[in-house]
Amino acid sequence: MFAGQMTDLLFTEKDLVTSLKDYIQAEERKLEQVKQWAEKLDSLTSIATQDPEGFLGHPVNAFKLMKRLNTEWGDLENLVLKDMSDGFISNLTIQRQHFPSDEDQTGAAKALLRLQDTYQLDTQSISTGDLPGTSVKLPYRSTLTVEDCFELGRIAYSESDYRHTEVWMAQALKQLDEGEESSVEPVMVLDYLSYSVYQQGELERALDFTRRLLELDPEHQRANGNLKYFEYQLAKQRKAGEDLRYRRSEGAEPEREESEGRKGVKKDNLPEKKKYEQLCRGEGIKMTPRRQSRLFCRYYDNNQHPRYLLGPVKQEDEWDRPYIIRYHDIISEWEIEKVKELAKPRLRRATISNPVTGVLETAQYRISKSAWLTANEHSVVDHINQRIEDLTGLDVQTAEELQVANYGVGGQYEPHFDFGRKDEPDAFKELGTGNRIATWLFYMSDVAAGGATVFPEVGAVVRPIKGTAVFWYNLLPSGEGDYSTRHAACPVLVGNKWVSNKWIHEHGQEFRRRCGLHEMD
C-alpha cells in the first residue's frame, strides 16, 4: 500500500474517531435524557403512591398518567432501543401488555373536556392545575405542558370537536409564546387553530392565524392554499353583507327582529343537560326560604324500633318534593373499608338496564366501575342490609344486591330514573320482584370537588358526605312512577367518589307501604 493511500487511511481513521466521539456524545446525551426521565418519574411516583386515590383524583394527573404510559414510555422505548439494553426492553415489553391503549388515552382526554364544560373551567386553570377543591400546596398538583395541551386539542379535532380544538390549541400557543420549551412547533399549532376557527365560521380569525403561520413557514403548502381560499370566502361574505345593507336602505329587504322567544331562553325551558350542569356547578333552581323552614333534623328510631330505641340515628330532611332524607354517621369507617375491599377485585365498567330488552349493558352516559355484593359474602353486607330494612321499614329480601360504585376522573351518571317506566314493561322482568320502589344510597367518601347527586326536575342538590346515606321513594304509594325523582351523578372534578346503593323492589312491601286511595297519591 502506497504512502499516499496510508495517509488517506489515517485521515479515514481520524474521521472514524471523530464519528466515534460523536457517537459517544450522542450516547451520553441519550443516557442523560434517560437519567432525567428516571429521576423525574421516581419523584413523581414516590409522591403518587403515597396516596394513589388522592393523586388520581386530580383529573390532570389521571390524563397525564394515561398519556405517559400510552405515548411517552413508548418514546422512551424507542430511545433506549438504539442501545443493547436487553434487560430494560424485555421488562418494558412484558409490562406493556398492561399499559393503556389509544382508546384509554382518548377517554381520559374526553373526561377532561367533559369536566371543562360541566364546571365551565378555562384552559388556563386546567393547565396550571388550579382547580376548585385543590390547594397550592397539594403535593400531587400537576400542570399541563405544551405537548399535553396540543394532545387534548388533537383528540378533540379527531372527534370533529372544533370548539375544544380551538381553546386547547390556543392554550398550547400561549404557553409557547410565553417561552415554554417544547417539541411541538408553533406552525403545527397554528395549522390546527386556523382550521378549527374556520369550521366555526370565523373567517377573519382563520385568516389571521394562517398569515401568522406563513410568517414562520412561507413554504407551507396547505397554509398557502388556505390563505387564498379564506381571502376569497371573506371577500364573498363582505360583498353579501354590503348587498344586504343596500337592499335594506332601498326598502327591498325588511329588517327582522328577533322574537322574544329567540332573544333568550327562560331558565324553566332550559334543556335538561343544561339544568343538570347548572346544578353541578351550584347554580340553578333554589328552594324558597318558606319551604326550607319546613325541613328539619331529628333523632330517628323508626317508631321505637328495638335496635334504635336507645341509640337513634341522626336524620336530616334534604328536600321536600320528592322527599329525600339523609342519615348521618350511618356507616362506619371500618364497614366502608371492608365493603371497598370486597368490591375492588370485582370492579367492572358499570352497566345499565336496556329499556327495550332489559339486558344489562354499558353506556357512555354512565362512567363508573361497579361490583355487586351478596349478603352471604360477609357479615358486614348482611348487617348493612338489615340496617336499611330497620330504618326504612321495607323488606330487603326482594331488593337487588348491594351495588358498590367508584367514580374516578370525570366519572358521572347522566340524568336517569331508577324505576322502570310504562314504556319499559320488561325492565326488571328477569328479577320477578316488581319495580324499584325506593333507593338507598351510601356515600363512602368525601369528594374535594364535584360528584354531587342532583335532581334536575326539582333543583335538589345532595353533596357527598362520607358516612352518610340518602333515601327516597321512586314510586308513589299508588305504584305510579314519581317523575320528579329523575336524578344524576355529577362528574367528579377533584377526588375519588365511592358509593354503594340498594334498590328496593315492590314485592314484599304490600303491608309495609300501603297503596293510597287515589291514583296519584
Side-chain angles (χ1 to χ4, degrees):
M1 187 171 285
F2 295 105
Q5 289 175 314
M6 296 291 288
T7 303
D8 290 341
L9 288 175
L10 281 172
F11 281 100
T12 300
E13 188 176 40
K14 182 175 173 53
D15 286 341
L16 287 172
V17 170
T18 302
S19 297
L20 180 61
K21 286 182 177 179
D22 290 341
Y23 167 73
I24 292 170
Q25 288 177 352
E27 283 290 330
E28 287 173 345
R29 286 196 298 270
K30 182 180 72 174
L31 194 59
E32 185 61 27
Q33 282 181 265
V34 175
K35 184 179 177 183
Q36 289 175 0
W37 173 264
E39 288 173 352
K40 184 180 79 171
L41 266 293
D42 182 49
S43 174
L44 178 66
T45 53
S46 294
I47 294 171
T49 52
Q50 289 175 15
D51 180 12
E53 287 194 3
F55 181 83
L56 294 174
H58 195 298
V60 169
N61 288 333
F63 164 70
K64 293 191 74 167
L65 176 63
M66 293 289 185
K67 180 172 175 286
R68 278 198 305 276
L69 290 175
N70 184 51
T71 305
E72 295 175 10
W73 275 101
D75 295 339
L76 184 67
E77 177 183 0
N78 293 333
L79 179 65
V80 174
L81 273 171
K82 294 177 183 178
D83 196 13
M84 298 300 290
S85 303
D86 295 334
F88 170 75
I89 294 304
S90 60
N91 186 35
L92 183 59
T93 303
I94 292 168
Q95 296 298 332
R96 199 170 183 80
Q97 61 182 312
H98 305 299
F99 283 8
S101 63
D102 287 344
E103 185 181 351
D104 294 324
Q105 183 176 331
T106 300
K110 286 182 178 178
L112 209 49
L113 300 181
R114 185 165 57 247
L115 291 172
Q116 181 182 2
D117 286 347
T118 302
Y119 296 104
Q120 293 185 346
L121 303 171
D122 59 80
T123 54
Q124 180 67 17
S125 296
I126 298 174
S127 182
T128 58
D130 186 19
L131 302 177
T134 62
S135 166
V136 177
K137 297 179 181 178
L138 203 66
Y140 32 78
R141 175 174 168 156
S142 192
T143 58
L144 292 174
T145 63
V146 170
E147 287 86 352
D148 297 329
C149 297
F150 181 81
E151 180 69 7
L152 284 167
R154 190 193 62 76
I155 289 172
Y157 179 85
S158 69
E159 299 286 320
S160 300
D161 180 357
Y162 299 115
R163 182 174 65 84
H164 281 119
T165 304
E166 177 198 348
V167 296
W168 282 106
M169 289 300 173
Q171 181 64 31
L173 189 63
K174 177 176 180 289
Q175 290 177 210
L176 282 171
D177 290 342
E178 289 172 351
E180 183 179 323
E181 291 186 9
S182 171
S183 60
V184 176
E185 297 291 333
V187 166
M188 297 166 63
V189 178
L190 287 164
D191 195 17
Y192 277 101
L193 255 179
S194 62
Y195 189 75
S196 62
V197 297
Y198 161 69
Q199 284 291 339
Q200 296 175 80
E202 299 185 56
L203 275 170
E204 289 191 32
R205 291 184 65 216
L207 196 57
D208 289 341
F209 286 129
T210 303
R211 285 171 176 156
R212 182 176 171 184
L213 188 161
L214 287 170
E215 287 176 7
L216 299 172
D217 183 4
E219 304 303 317
H220 197 287
Q221 188 174 353
R222 184 167 50 250
N224 276 300
N226 287 346
L227 180 69
K228 294 175 183 177
Y229 179 74
F230 293 158
E231 286 176 337
Y232 167 74
Q233 289 293 332
L234 192 59
K236 186 177 174 183
Q237 191 181 83
R238 285 171 176 165
K239 189 173 187 309
E242 289 171 3
D243 291 345
L244 180 61
R245 284 193 294 274
Y246 175 76
R247 288 198 302 272
R248 283 178 176 171
S249 66
E250 295 294 315
E253 184 81 29
E255 297 216 21
R256 297 177 183 175
E257 290 187 11
E258 282 189 299
S259 66
E260 289 299 315
R262 296 283 295 177
K263 285 181 181 177
V265 181
K266 291 183 179 180
K267 285 189 177 181
D268 290 347
N269 297 325
L270 283 174
E272 182 180 61
K273 189 172 186 292
K274 293 293 183 185
K275 288 183 183 177
Y276 154 61
E277 290 178 347
Q278 280 187 344
L279 291 172
C280 290
R281 294 192 298 270
E283 304 167 5
I285 309 166
K286 302 292 182 185
M287 184 181 283
T288 63
R290 185 174 181 181
R291 284 175 63 191
Q292 282 182 333
S293 68
R294 296 171 183 162
L295 302 180
F296 297 96
C297 295
R298 64 190 69 82
Y299 283 101
Y300 180 73
D301 61 13
N302 195 14
N303 296 319
Q304 298 187 327
H305 191 284
R307 286 194 177 92
Y308 297 99
L309 186 59
L310 296 179
V313 297
K314 289 179 278 188
Q315 191 186 72
E316 177 188 2
D317 297 336
E318 281 280 351
W319 204 259
D320 55 353
R321 297 187 300 273
Y323 188 37
I324 305 169
I325 304 167
R326 188 192 294 267
Y327 293 89
H328 290 268
D329 302 321
I330 202 65
I331 183 170
S332 70
E333 180 72 27
W334 180 84
E335 288 174 320
I336 288 172
E337 292 308 313
K338 178 54 70 174
V339 167
K340 287 165 66 174
E341 179 189 321
L342 293 168
K344 279 179 180 178
R346 284 179 272 170
L347 285 174
R348 299 290 182 272
R349 175 71 186 271
T351 56
I352 55 98
S353 176
N354 185 299
V356 177
T357 64
V359 176
L360 293 176
E361 59 188 23
T362 60
Q364 287 302 312
Y365 59 82
R366 186 180 191 187
I367 301 172
S368 64
K369 289 189 173 182
S370 66
W372 299 84
L373 303 180
T374 61
N376 57 13
E377 287 187 55
H378 195 280
S379 59
V380 71
V381 182
D382 190 34
H383 290 156
I384 286 171
N385 288 342
Q386 187 61 56
R387 191 175 308 150
I388 294 170
E389 178 166 322
D390 292 343
L391 292 172
T392 62
L394 299 175
D395 187 350
V396 298
Q397 295 302 311
T398 57
E400 294 173 50
E401 306 298 354
L402 187 71
Q403 182 183 217
V404 182
N406 176 225
Y407 295 81
V409 53
Q412 64 168 4
Y413 192 176
E414 290 183 5
H416 62 282
F417 297 106
D418 281 351
F419 64 89
R421 275 79 69 212
K422 288 182 177 179
D423 58 348
E424 303 169 348
D426 297 332
F428 307 110
K429 187 176 181 180
E430 290 183 2
L431 299 177
T433 53
N435 212 339
R436 288 173 175 167
I437 191 173
T439 296
W440 178 285
L441 177 65
F442 284 110
Y443 292 113
M444 302 197 301
S445 66
D446 293 312
V447 180
T453 306
V454 299
F455 295 71
E457 291 300 311
V458 298
V461 178
V462 181
R463 305 286 177 195
I465 301 174
K466 187 175 183 179
T468 70
V470 290
F471 172 79
W472 67 85
Y473 279 104
N474 297 306
L475 305 181
L476 300 169
S478 63
E480 292 292 319
D482 184 350
Y483 285 81
S484 68
T485 61
R486 187 169 175 82
H487 60 286
C490 295
V492 174
L493 178 57
V494 179
N496 233 303
K497 179 181 174 185
W498 283 90
V499 298
S500 57
N501 66 279
K502 194 79 172 172
W503 281 310
I504 304 170
H505 282 246
E506 288 178 293
H507 290 193
Q509 320 308 338
E510 293 82 357
F511 298 102
R512 296 184 181 229
R513 194 201 190 204
R514 297 177 181 275
C515 295
L517 296 176
H518 304 286
E519 183 179 357
M520 299 310 292
D521 278 353

